[in-house]
Every structure is written in structure tokens, then in C-alpha cells.
Amino acid sequence: MELFSEVYGCYYAVVAEILRSAPLTRAQAEALAAGRGYGESVLQLIPKLLDSRDWPLLEERDGLFHSRLDRLPDLPVTHLERAWLKALLADPRLRLFLSDGQLARLEEALAGVEPLYRQEDIVYFDRFLDGDNYADPGYRRRFQAILAALADGTVLRLTYQAPKTGIHTGDHRPLRLEYSPRDDKFRIYTVKVQEDARHSCHILNLGRIVDLFPSEARYDGAFDVAEWRRRHRCAQPLLLQVTSERNGVERFMLEFSSYEKQSEYDEETGACTVRLWYQWEDETEVLIRLLGFGSVVRVLEPASFVTLMRERVARQAALLGFGPKGTVAP
Amino acid sequence: MAYRELVKRFESVREYMRDFLVFGYKTRREFDGKSARTYDNERRRIESWLGDNLRWEYRAKGKAVFLSMDAAELAHNPLYRAWQSKSFTDNDITLHFCLLDLLADGLPRHAEEITDALAARYGTLFELPTVRRKLKEYAELGILEAQKQGRALCYALSPCTLDSLFPDPARLPELLCFFGETAPLSVVGSFLASRRGEEDCKLRFKHHFIVHTLEDQVLLTALEAIRTQSRLEVTNVSGRSGLEQVTAAVPVKIMVSVQTGRRYLAAWLPEQRHFVSLRLDYIKALSLRPGQEEDGACRALAEERLAHSWGSILHSNPRLERFSMTVAADEAREPYIIQRLRRESRCGTVEQAGPGLWRCTRYVCDAGEMMNWVKTFIGRIVSLECDNQSVVDRFYDDIRRMAELYGGED
């Protein structure tokens, strides 16, 4: 099977949208191409569709472009897509999104379809083992209530088991659901609705939400999670030196490819200088991941982070009986 | 040839996109073996697909183009845009829309009837063989259903739509958004989602390797080979030497590291008689070959070896090494350290070795593979024991070098 096919393509999608929106003006067609197409689609697609006879799908009358088609249907779900959906049926997370009725309908409709892949053929060998329990009916109920609240903008009364401070109950409006494939866990960003209007952003693990109910509280404010995250980003990026020893540059660049970063390679030394931005809440995680690279990565700035690295290394050297600068103590 | 936004082969942009995203430091002249014109066209194309996500900076050696983004802020993987860039002919697109429109009534028609109707209804003349080819192609894709009526082969539009699969569409956007980022071959989910227009379902992803999608065709073929018990002919490019090698392999598993972002095809090499793990991003091409009866034995062996693998490598040698690490952790104040040992030691045995001391023991084929993980406990490691002393020595050496790096001066 081939993934790279024009039937899934951007131009086909833009043309379908223009045909469904017809009759329309040139400006409207260009706006659709600019919105859904690529950066230069207005220049490359529109002339083919409107100005030439290359794609005779529209005709111009009275300054408007009319579709020459009668009833353009939705593109049927292809064999590739059916096989992919069939493979999802074996994924325990699918039932978080669907009701039993929807699942039964999908299973029936896809009976006889070969799955595109089998779960057992893929091994996630370093995934954390304490992931969320998707088989728990209570977890599923809470997950679906949170999905509904995300879509509707409603507030939920959540009872949460905090790891250090125990049980808390409060009114929260879910704003964003976040999944980590490494942790195999979901978290939600919420705004906690308080009577004194001092609303605050919280990040809660779904696995620690013990119970939830609809709340009568309302929050119609425009809390912006992206902006909140920007404000909680490190004030100064890490400045790192990554050496090419043990393929270090390639390993580092791939492992940290999900972070915002800028890099420069020095051919003479074979080392790479990287500026890396991270969220404050992830500081310990970034620290231990950098430690995992050993001497391949050296933190140069900021001083506060260098101190964190130095303290851990010094503590370790002391535990192993090394003297200053790595000499073995007598 | 004039510049176009669309491309014939995905391979032509795969390497550029990976370099822009993962490395981000190469300048125009550092793209070995590519002409300046090719580089300029590919950069312009990728810029056109990705818009503001593609950034650039002037450096000492020239203009460096890079993709820098916080993946946790992305609602959709922007690299999927590359999968939507396949070029086509004028006939392809015209036939596509006219055929869908003509067959929307659900009635089956044979090729001649369709060719005549296209001319009558849309005023477009197509050669019969052209129409036949497109009908056959669309039947293979599943867009059309082919059915025999007497001696004639008739085609009708497939009734399988998102609406028929999900008559109750509640949470369908969220489902497609979630699995369209996290499931294997997730780009297929994005194809389905694009029928409904892009929606922001307020789902985001942490520790998310968007670059993986560039290997999705390789992954698809590899998974098909595993499922159908076929062999593969693998064209692999060495990450270090750049040398290309063609190998016959029995694929057994896809090994995914959710921490490092590396993904591998684990396979048995029948000629060399050992397992190998090949990085998916270094595989240039895969083609299916018939499986052999004896391949079943190496699949069974792979399952056996998997139980004692730490990382991506399935070892051919059954000898196991005992590795044990003792860390200092106050169980009352630092329970998260003990929790880390339990969740991250990949089914290792975790036990208390004394007050404030916790030991993790694991039997593995190669303890050396564990060291990156071990080093994440730097500052707490009280002792390491291993049947293979060189592994422990390497750790000591690394700590010595780190102590030199951070040896006190700023």
C-alpha cells in the first residue's frame, strides 16, 4: 500500500472545498486556496482551475465561478484508512473516545478488513510501566466527561489525589488535554474557578482524578494555555555543548527534537552548540536526561543550571570515592 | 523546468525535512551531493508547505534553515503537509472529481458507459483506456467497488464513508486528532481528519517525535511484511559511513524508543545468521520478498530474546549478564526515586538493600545498553555490580570526565 497518493493531497482538498463553495468569486476561491493550500497555491493552483481549460471543473458566468458538478460526494474511506481504523480497534485507548454502541458499530462495519498493523508487532521498549489504566471503567467515564467539558466549555467538580498533599476538591474548567507516549499518561490543563475570581492554571494527571461531577460554577474567561506556557518557559535557554563522541550530536538532536532549539556545528571541533528552551516544570526531567548523555553534553549556561549539574556530579564523584576533578581518593 | 509546489517522489524531500528539523545547523553548501538549484527548490517547497514553522538565520558559513518548534504546542503535525504534496496530471484531477460526481448516485456502470457519460455530462473527452486505468486504480484504493454484472465489470462508488462508519460522530474529531498523532502510521488519521477540515480539539502531545512521520512508508511496508510473514529486501544507508547496502532480512518486530525518538526494524539476517536492528530513518527502500518455511524458527527465537533485551537489539548470543545498581533514596521523602526504578527498569527487580538504599537488578544480554538510563541517577548511585566489569569501568570513566567538566570553576 502507498501512503503518498494525490487522492489524500492538499490540492484535491482545496479544489473540493472550492467546488462545494461554488458559485463564488475569484477572491473567494483565492482565499480558500490561501487558507487550506500551501504558501504558493494561490499562484500555482488557482490559474489552473479558473483561467485555463486544464481542469474544466468550473465555469464563469456573470463574474462568478459555478461548479460543473452536480453533487460532489465525500471521498469514501479508502482500504488504507479502513485497515488503519481496524488496527485501532485493538488499541485499548480507543474505548476512551467511543461509546460501546459506537465501538460495536465500527467493529461490525470493519468485519473482514485486515488491520494495517498488529499491536504485538510493535515494541515500545522504554515506555514507563505505570501508565494510565485504560481498562478501568471509572477512568473511561471520567475521561469522556472531560472530553465533553473540553468541547462544551463547562466546569467540573474534580476530586484529585495529589502525590504530596492528599485529596483536593475544586471546580475546574478543562482547557487542554495532553498525552505523553513516554509516560503513557494523560494530563489536563485546567483553570480553577474560585469565588474570589483569582483563577489559576493547574496541570492534573487524569490517573489521579478520583471522581468528578458537573459543577454549577461558570467560567467564561479567555484563559490562554499557550500564553501561560510561554510565561512559564525558562527565562534563559540552556546553552549546551554536544560532542560527536559516540554519535552524540545525532543522538542528542533527535532526542531533543521536540524542544524548541537552535544549533550551530563547529566542523573543526566536531562539537555542536545548542540553545534549548524548556518549561520550568520540566527542569528536573531535562536535567536527568542531560545527565544520561554523560560527558557527551556539557551545560555552559545559565549558571543556575550548571550548578545543578555540578552538584549531582560532585555528589556522585564523592559516592564513588573520587577526589576533586575526578582523581581517585587515596 | 518551472518550480512547482508538488513533487513526484516523497523521497526527494524526506532527507531535507529531517535535516531541517533534527539538526537545523546545515547551510546550503553543507547539503552534500545536491546542486544549489536543487537545494533552493526543496527549501522553497518546504517553506511553502510549512510556512512560518521554517526559520532561517545567517551564520558564519551561510544561511542555515531550520525547523524549531515546541512540539507540545502543536495541534497537528505540520510535517503531514509533505504527505499531501503528490503531483498529478490534469487528467487525474479532472477524472477524479467527475468520476466521484457521476457515481455519486450509487449506480454501478461499466467503463464504456462511464466514458460516454463523462463526455455527455461534463463535456470532457477521455480515452477509454485512461478511464479504465483510473477505475482500476480507484477500485484498488477502495474509492470504488468493482462488481461483475454478466460479463461486464461495473464500478460503483464505495458506500464506506466516515458517516457510515460513525453514524453517531460524537468525539470523532477528538479520536482522529489523538490517533492521528499517536498511533502507528498516524498520518492516515490525518487523511481521515482532513475530510472534515482541520479542527483544534484542544489535544496536545508531550515527548512527541513529529519527525517519525517521514518514515511512515518504510514502517508501513515493514509492518506488512511482519504481518504477512514475508521477507524484505532492505536498502540501508549507514548513519556513520553513508555507505548503502542491500540486505535480505526476515523482519520480526518494530522496536520503538519513546524516549530517544529512535525506531528500528528488528530482523534476522538469514545469510549472516544473526539479528540486526536497523534504524527506520536510515532505511532508504524496502521491498517485499516471499517468506520461507524456516523463518518461523527465527520469529520464535526473537520472542525469546526480547524478554532479555534492554534496548532495540535482539541479541543472537543467549548468555545473560547480571546487572545491579544500588541508589540512595529516602523512602519517606523521596518515594519518586523508588517509583522511577520500578517504572523505568523495564521489569527489573527492585528491593530495599538497607535503610535509604534501594537496589535494582536486571538480567540482560548486554548491560552496556543500560548505561544511559543508569546515568540519569547520577548523584545517587552507591554501587554498580555487573558480570561484565568493563561496563562498570566505563561508567566510572564517564563520571571522572564529568567531574573534570564541572570540576568547580565556572
Side-chain angles (χ1 to χ4, degrees), chain A residues 3 11 36-40 71 77 79 81 102 105 120 123 126 180 245 250 263 285 295 299 316, chain B residues 5 23 48 59 81 101 141 160 164 168 194-195 207 217 253-254 256-258 279 379 398 401 406:
Chain A
L3 290 173
Y11 276 28
R36 189 146 184 191
Y38 297 136
E40 298 188 39
R71 54 195 163 195
V77 176
H79 287 317
E81 293 165 329
Q102 285 174 304
R105 165 70 199 151
E120 64 266 30
V123 180
D126 56 1
S180 160
E245 187 185 332
E250 204 271 353
S263 55
E285 178 188 325
S295 54
V299 182
Q316 187 58 58
Chain B
E5 280 187 312
F23 298 104
S48 161
R59 297 187 182 149
R81 303 281 274 171
D101 190 61
L141 282 170
C160 183
S164 72
D168 168 9
S194 72
R195 285 173 173 72
H207 309 119
Q217 185 61 57
K253 293 283 178 197
I254 299 296
V256 179
S257 167
V258 288
R279 286 268 296 264
D398 222 12
R401 293 170 63 186
Y406 296 102

Side-chain angles (χ1 to χ4, degrees), chain B residues 342-362:
Chain B
R342 292 200 171 112
R343 76 176 180 214
E344 297 175 28
S345 65
R346 308 178 199 177
C347 301
T349 308
V350 178
E351 60 194 345
Q352 187 155 21
L357 291 176
W358 289 80
R359 186 189 302 123
C360 172
T361 308
R362 179 85 153 79

Side-chain angles (χ1 to χ4, degrees), chain A residues 11 26 29-31 33-35 38-47, chain B residues 5:
Chain A
Y11 276 28
R26 168 177 284 273
E30 286 178 352
Y38 297 136
E40 298 188 39
S41 297
V42 173
L43 299 173
Q44 303 221 345
L45 181 154
I46 292 294
Chain B
E5 280 187 312

Side-chain angles (χ1 to χ4, degrees), chain B residues 187-210:
Chain B
V187 68
V188 181
S190 81
F191 296 155
L192 285 163
S194 72
R195 285 173 173 72
R196 307 170 52 94
E198 285 199 345
E199 289 176 62
D200 182 356
C201 299
K202 299 171 189 161
L203 260 77
R204 296 292 186 275
F205 306 91
K206 200 179 177 184
H207 309 119
H208 186 31
F209 293 98
I210 60 171

Side-chain angles (χ1 to χ4, degrees), chain B residues 50-118:
Chain B
L50 302 179
D52 295 341
N53 287 316
L54 198 70
R55 293 154 63 178
W56 52 268
E57 203 176 73
Y58 280 110
R59 297 187 182 149
K61 283 182 286 175
K63 182 176 166 181
V65 177
F66 58 95
L67 276 163
S68 177
M69 50 190 112
D70 174 6
E73 275 302 324
L74 299 172
H76 308 286
N77 184 344
L79 306 191
Y80 289 158
R81 303 281 274 171
W83 284 111
Q84 298 175 312
S85 66
K86 175 87 188 284
S87 62
F88 50 83
T89 66
D90 294 341
N91 266 352
D92 283 330
I93 190 166
T94 310
L95 255 180
H96 172 83
F97 285 105
C98 292
L99 271 179
L100 289 186
D101 190 61
L102 177 71
L103 298 174
D105 59 13
L107 296 175
R109 296 173 174 87
H110 54 74
E112 289 83 353
E113 212 178 337
I114 290 170
T115 309
D116 291 346
L118 289 170

